[in-house]
Amino acid sequence: MKGYKAPLADMRFLLEQVFDAQNEWQQLPAFAEMADLETAVAVLEESAKLNEQVVAPLDRNADEQGVSFENGIVKTPDGFADAYGQFAEGGWIGLCGNPEFGGMGMPKSLGVLTDEIGYGASNAFQLYGSLTAGAALCINAHGSDELKEKFLPSLYSGAWTGAMDMTEPQAGSDLRGIRTKAEIQDNGSYKISGSKIFITSGDNDLGENVVHLVLAKIATDKGLSKNISLFLVPKILVNDDGSLGDANGVSVGSIEHKMGLKGSATCVMNYDDAEGYLIGQEGRGLAAMFTMMNYERVSIGIQGLGASEMAYQLAAEYAKERRQGVAADKSMRSGEFNDSLLVHGDVRRMLLNIRSLNEAGRAFAVHTGLQLDIANYGEGEAAEWAGAQVGLLTPLAKAFLTDRGLDSTVAGQQVFGGHGFIREWGAEQLVRDCRIAQIYEGTNGIQALDLLGRKVVANRGENMKRLLEQFSAETSAMTNVDAGHKDSVLTAFAELQGATAELVDAARNDANLVNCAAVDYLNAVGYTLFGYFWLRMCNVADEQADEQFASDKRLVTDYYVKRVMPLAAHHLRLISTGAGATMALELDRF
Amino acid sequence: MKGYKAPLADMRFLLEQVFDAQNEWQQLPAFAEMADLETAVAVLEESAKLNEQVVAPLDRNADEQGVSFENGIVKTPDGFADAYGQFAEGGWIGLCGNPEFGGMGMPKSLGVLTDEIGYGASNAFQLYGSLTAGAALCINAHGSDELKEKFLPSLYSGAWTGAMDMTEPQAGSDLRGIRTKAEIQDNGSYKISGSKIFITSGDNDLGENVVHLVLAKIATDKGLSKNISLFLVPKILVNDDGSLGDANGVSVGSIEHKMGLKGSATCVMNYDDAEGYLIGQEGRGLAAMFTMMNYERVSIGIQGLGASEMAYQLAAEYAKERRQGVAADKSMRSGEFNDSLLVHGDVRRMLLNIRSLNEAGRAFAVHTGLQLDIANYGEGEAAEWAGAQVGLLTPLAKAFLTDRGLDSTVAGQQVFGGHGFIREWGAEQLVRDCRIAQIYEGTNGIQALDLLGRKVVANRGENMKRLLEQFSAETSAMTNVDAGHKDSVLTAFAELQGATAELVDAARNDANLVNCAAVDYLNAVGYTLFGYFWLRMCNVADEQADEQFASDKRLVTDYYVKRVMPLAAHHLRLISTGAGATMALELDRF
């Protein structure tokens, strides 16, 4: 089995030719001094080295061995702690963190690529660092100066890890119902009591402390307040000088036994009068948490992409080497007893489906990262519009990339035939590992509701209209793409715009429409935008010195536009049927 | 967690109203005396009782415990041996077997339903009996009288189990390359030597002997013969009086560690000068094996259906009981803090996708079973046409039902949110268990090639044209269906017929077309036929005394025609793009 190889050439092409990232970064004062193409490429190469050589080889065993929980102690799979130490030492946890507190201050448009490399090497391992970075991001955005000073340096350094504690047994997709209680103390801190489930990296042996961000309701005279607040609750209390103090009232109830991602510790967390510190304002916990969630959702989207890239690499390698059957097309026959699987159209179909989604997905991720950078570090109207784009693109990144991640890992597994079902080959692990990405950080159904309900319908379709017009105009202006492809993408944009306008209208008179149409809408947007990103890559592919690289881009564009993008029209067709057929059956007839 | 419940009302409806099965059976002398509706319903009820009460409760543990292999001994999960004993005692293994040798001689159109009940209760457990029945079928069709007398009674009685041994490391989808050797002995038997992988139920502790059907090549002076022969190779030799004799040269090399179906023993089998007996003619082994394969492929299709039905039941139950969020539609609000998941359109969408596929799939399975019955036990032109239909329907049953099985189990898992990823809830096990059904017994890509290449293009589209015309005519004649639905299905038939004719033409000039279009073609046929089966059910649903049952059928028909069937048109659209985009990339650029 070949190991994971980071797709560095494609990543460089995106930063350099497609997005002219250096120029974008130079316009943002936060990055002007440190982020240039040369640095970015060096960062990617180092990330590739560490993930290919240190992390990827641990991934198969991590699935078999899993996480153990004995006598209250969580132990990660062999090698994880050592590998995490190397990550910490290299400064990777704080790559996009605030330099004031020890972060490296690099742009997210670069971070999405190192995220992909990490997930490609190991879904389970990458998650530990990703959640730590997310927790730091939230503390940096909403915590007091005191909390930042006390906690950020050790999170960025990798000495401590982070976790976000939201779900409770009775409160999952709907957090209104959480019951974890926060009681204010004389010193301004809070006593936190309650129980949380599904807490990724809730405990581990990678760092010396775990910093939990916990959603809870503040106790009042009349019971729990209605609104939710956010608290920082360390596993071990931290002294004023930053050293570790007494254990806090934080314990692991159990670890979950899961379908996959077995190297990641998913914990039931118990809080018994644990000391916690308010982050942001009372009752504004969800808003604060969503700062983290937006980044985390993009990151989880990239889990789907990373798994899908690894699925492609494994399956393409297998297909090259495995010889079964003889080419239907005589001109492709090797003359030997068997030809490579790659002569068979159906095997190519599976591989090209995966690849055409991966490369467009990578471009989409860099675009989304750039908008996050501009929204957070830019100014004025540009930052505002980037922020509006982030609103549209975040649920799309989370749901579309992970749904396609499952499609791709399943297709990759299928290329292996019987070996695809056998654990030692690794193809089936990718299916199991990335399956959770469609569920956690807000199920993909919730993402679709966020996109269509909150970001499109509640906005009267204005931001989406602007986005589609902008991308359509860019597409029209492209000079180096196939005219037929351009027509196809422009038509897709026009149909999507028409459907959006109709939905915004029709949703006024049909309370169920958004809920019934949301997933189809998200898919229609995703498949359409991927068409645009393919053309955008095609349009500049010739600028690459490698002519074969440019030729590949053109051929895969052709495949995508003809054989994948038509799903956008299919989903629009389903939307046009309205909500009636979905809502008609009585509840008790299911 | 609610247990599995066999969908007996729907099954009875299919046999009684939709297919008038009693009348069909009465016309076949083999069944005229024993198969009537009352008997069939009693059989289904007994099957339900045994599977619901004895088998289903073993399934979750079977996944966790798996099969063990120690000191050469394969041990199935706790309870399997005892449950299998009850199956054997009830005569279930020989339900559709030849009465002359101890089978019960029931029609396959009933057997597909008991298969579904078995797979619904436990994918892993059902497989043991299914392979045994398949092996018996092959011996009955092609074995000598001596072999039949010696082996069939003990297979039908459940005393011995059966296995089919085809795959070798270098020969999977392409069996030409198998190397297992058969050397003829003076007494007319053969010495078999070689190794086989992926052998389902290759060994087990359920019966006293394992009867292997092994593909091998006969040794000649010039090496192995080119053609493949089929041999019966028992694990333990059988004396002339039917008692067990010495061990044969058959051993288990190892068991496979799989993604799922962990209760099923998947073995590497080694043959060292094992005694074997030719089944059928020398060099005609594949043809003989395919007698078994055709039944087995339909059965494996039904594995997908059974898993999908269980996925629906689990998810619908969870959705009813789980309360999250508040209905968007005020008229659906319960007034409590949370409403049931069933008020949310997106949850309904997932459930209705599954259900609309399951009920059509069940009708499709019974239709296929009936054609198998008529083909095997009928006469003249009717039997011939049924046989031609079986040719078309078998790859479809295998691939379409299992592909939809994965879609459905994944959707069912998604309804559970986070709990869907946790093993104890059972939803994720269904995904892992049914995933293999897309791969084994010929991958679904191979099934699609069989359908489009061998059954359609090589037949110049004639049988498919006849099938579509017959179903179109029946649809046109329906008097109790929605006119819009009827139009939609007739249009789908017409488009499919047009695409078929074009493909048959175009395939002459493009060697790659069949391979590139096959999976899309199979899907287009599947989604279209399911539309027809929905209308066929709708048309007679009023004959059911239960008015609510009829109303459900109409509403789910509406859902299917509007929101699922359009995938047929989508797949036809992909076919129309030809093979160019798929074949363009050079082999070394993957």
Side-chain angles (χ1 to χ4, degrees), chain B residues 92-305:
Chain B
W92 291 102
I93 314 296
L95 183 73
C96 300
N98 187 346
E100 215 180 315
F101 300 100
M104 286 173 65
M106 298 301 279
K108 189 65 188 171
S109 38
L110 179 61
V112 293
L113 295 175
T114 58
D115 278 355
E116 188 202 320
I117 295 172
Y119 284 115
S122 172
N123 274 230
F125 181 82
Q126 170 67 15
L127 212 49
Y128 290 102
S130 177
L131 277 160
T132 303
L137 189 97
C138 181
I139 296 166
N140 186 56
H142 301 284
S144 64
D145 287 344
E146 195 190 334
L147 288 178
K148 287 190 212 178
E149 279 162 24
K150 206 161 171 179
F151 290 94
L152 284 181
S154 293
L155 287 168
Y156 288 146
S157 77
W160 304 344
T161 61
M164 49 200 288
D165 301 35
M166 305 173 66
T167 305
E168 298 178 11
Q170 77 291 347
S173 293
D174 181 1
L175 290 167
R176 291 176 307 138
I178 70 170
R179 295 178 191 151
T180 296
K181 180 175 70 174
E183 291 175 287
I184 193 156
Q185 305 298 302
D186 291 341
N187 65 359
S189 72
Y190 291 77
K191 288 282 179 214
I192 311 289
S193 296
S195 196
K196 296 281 180 181
I197 61 170
F198 302 156
I199 306 308
T200 301
S201 193
D203 198 18
N204 62 72
D205 55 357
L206 306 182
E208 296 154 6
N209 200 3
V210 183
V211 177
H212 292 271
L213 301 188
V214 181
L215 289 179
K217 288 176 176 170
I218 294 173
T220 70
D221 297 344
K222 299 171 190 164
L224 294 183
S225 65
K226 190 181 161 202
N227 293 323
I228 296 169
S229 303
L230 182 64
F231 299 90
L232 188 160
V233 187
K235 174 184 170 187
I236 301 170
L237 293 168
V238 178
N239 299 320
D240 287 340
D241 64 358
S243 62
L244 293 177
D246 295 336
N248 201 358
V250 176
S251 61
V252 180
S254 61
I255 56 172
E256 306 281 6
H257 299 100
K258 312 189 299 283
M259 177 190 202
L261 213 68
K262 295 184 182 181
S264 168
T266 308
C267 303
V268 173
M269 296 304 305
N270 294 323
Y271 297 92
D272 302 301
D273 284 340
E275 188 166 313
Y277 319 105
L278 184 68
I279 295 182
Q281 299 175 345
E282 282 185 16
R284 298 280 299 153
L286 285 181
M289 185 64 107
F290 270 83
T291 303
M292 177 178 179
M293 285 290 278
N294 275 336
Y295 272 80
E296 213 53 44
R297 284 177 170 176
V298 172
S299 174
I300 292 307
I302 291 168
Q303 180 184 349
L305 178 60

Side-chain angles (χ1 to χ4, degrees), chain A residues 168-177 197-198 256-262 312 316 320 322-326 328-330 332 337-338 340 342-349 351-352 355 406 410-411 413-414 417-424 428 431-433 435-436 438-439 443-445 511-512 515-516 519-520 546 548-549 552 555-556 558-559 562-564 566-567 569-570 573-575 577-578 580-590, chain B residues 168-177 197-198 256-262 312 316 320 322-326 328-330 332 337-338 340 342-349 351-352 355 406 410-411 413-414 417-424 428 431-433 435-436 438-439 443-445 511-512 515-516 519-520 546 548-549 552 555-556 558-559 562-564 566-567 569-570 573-575 577-578 580-590:
Chain A
E168 299 178 10
Q170 76 292 347
S173 293
D174 181 0
L175 290 167
R176 291 176 306 138
I197 60 171
F198 302 156
E256 306 281 5
H257 300 100
K258 311 189 299 283
M259 178 190 201
L261 213 70
K262 295 183 182 183
Y312 178 80
K320 249 178 232 180
R322 175 78 172 169
R323 305 178 86 78
Q324 289 286 279
V326 173
D329 179 349
K330 286 180 185 164
M332 296 181 79
F337 185 74
N338 278 311
S340 138
L342 285 172
V343 302
H344 304 305
D346 187 55
V347 173
R348 289 171 158 261
R349 177 189 64 82
L351 289 170
L352 286 167
R355 177 159 166 184
L406 185 75
V410 167
Q413 181 187 19
Q414 192 72 17
H419 297 104
F421 201 62
I422 307 299
R423 296 208 300 271
E424 66 175 296
E428 64 82 36
V431 176
R432 289 186 291 106
D433 282 359
R435 178 66 184 90
I436 186 59
Q438 301 175 285
I439 299 173
T443 67
N444 285 0
N512 290 309
N515 217 312
C516 292
V519 163
D520 286 310
D546 182 352
Q548 193 76 60
F549 181 95
D552 290 357
L555 293 176
V556 184
D558 188 53
Y559 184 88
K562 287 180 179 158
R563 298 201 40 97
V564 183
L567 274 167
H570 170 71
R573 179 171 170 178
L574 296 190
I575 291 171
T577 66
T582 309
M583 300 307 296
L585 203 65
E586 294 289 332
L587 263 65
D588 63 355
R589 300 305 296 175
F590 276 89
Chain B
E168 298 178 11
Q170 77 291 347
S173 293
D174 181 1
L175 290 167
R176 291 176 307 138
I197 61 170
F198 302 156
E256 306 281 6
H257 299 100
K258 312 189 299 283
M259 177 190 202
L261 213 68
K262 295 184 182 181
Y312 178 80
K320 249 178 233 181
R322 175 77 172 171
R323 305 179 85 78
Q324 289 286 279
V326 173
D329 179 348
K330 287 181 185 162
M332 294 179 81
F337 184 75
N338 278 311
S340 138
L342 285 172
V343 303
H344 304 306
D346 187 56
V347 172
R348 289 171 159 261
R349 176 188 65 80
L351 289 170
L352 285 167
R355 178 159 165 184
L406 186 75
V410 167
Q413 181 187 18
Q414 192 73 15
H419 297 104
F421 201 62
I422 307 298
R423 296 209 299 273
E424 65 174 297
E428 65 82 36
V431 177
R432 290 186 290 105
D433 282 358
R435 178 67 184 89
I436 186 60
Q438 300 175 287
I439 300 173
T443 67
N444 285 359
N512 290 309
N515 218 312
C516 292
V519 163
D520 286 310
D546 182 351
Q548 193 76 59
F549 181 95
D552 289 357
L555 294 176
V556 184
D558 188 54
Y559 184 88
K562 287 180 179 158
R563 297 201 40 98
V564 183
L567 274 167
H570 169 71
R573 180 171 168 176
L574 297 190
I575 290 172
T577 65
T582 308
M583 299 308 296
L585 203 65
E586 294 290 332
L587 262 65
D588 63 355
R589 300 303 299 173
F590 277 89

Side-chain angles (χ1 to χ4, degrees), chain A residues 209-346:
Chain A
N209 199 3
V210 183
V211 178
H212 291 271
L213 301 188
V214 181
L215 289 178
K217 289 177 176 170
I218 294 174
T220 69
D221 296 345
K222 299 171 191 165
L224 294 183
S225 66
K226 190 182 161 200
N227 293 323
I228 295 168
S229 304
L230 182 64
F231 299 89
L232 187 160
V233 187
K235 174 184 170 186
I236 301 169
L237 292 168
V238 178
N239 299 319
D240 286 342
D241 65 357
S243 62
L244 292 178
D246 296 336
N248 201 357
V250 176
S251 61
V252 180
S254 61
I255 57 172
E256 306 281 5
H257 300 100
K258 311 189 299 283
M259 178 190 201
L261 213 70
K262 295 183 182 183
S264 167
T266 308
C267 302
V268 173
M269 296 303 305
N270 294 324
Y271 296 93
D272 301 300
D273 283 341
E275 187 167 312
Y277 319 105
L278 185 68
I279 296 183
Q281 297 176 346
E282 282 186 16
R284 299 279 301 153
L286 286 180
M289 185 64 106
F290 270 82
T291 302
M292 175 178 181
M293 286 289 279
N294 274 337
Y295 272 80
E296 213 52 43
R297 284 177 171 177
V298 173
S299 174
I300 292 307
I302 292 168
Q303 179 184 350
L305 178 60
S308 184
E309 172 63 30
M310 185 59 187
Y312 178 80
Q313 292 187 19
L314 279 179
E317 187 69 16
Y318 182 83
K320 249 178 232 180
E321 292 178 4
R322 175 78 172 169
R323 305 178 86 78
Q324 289 286 279
V326 173
D329 179 349
K330 286 180 185 164
S331 72
M332 296 181 79
R333 289 188 189 162
S334 64
E336 294 176 31
F337 185 74
N338 278 311
D339 292 323
S340 138
L341 289 191
L342 285 172
V343 302
H344 304 305
D346 187 55

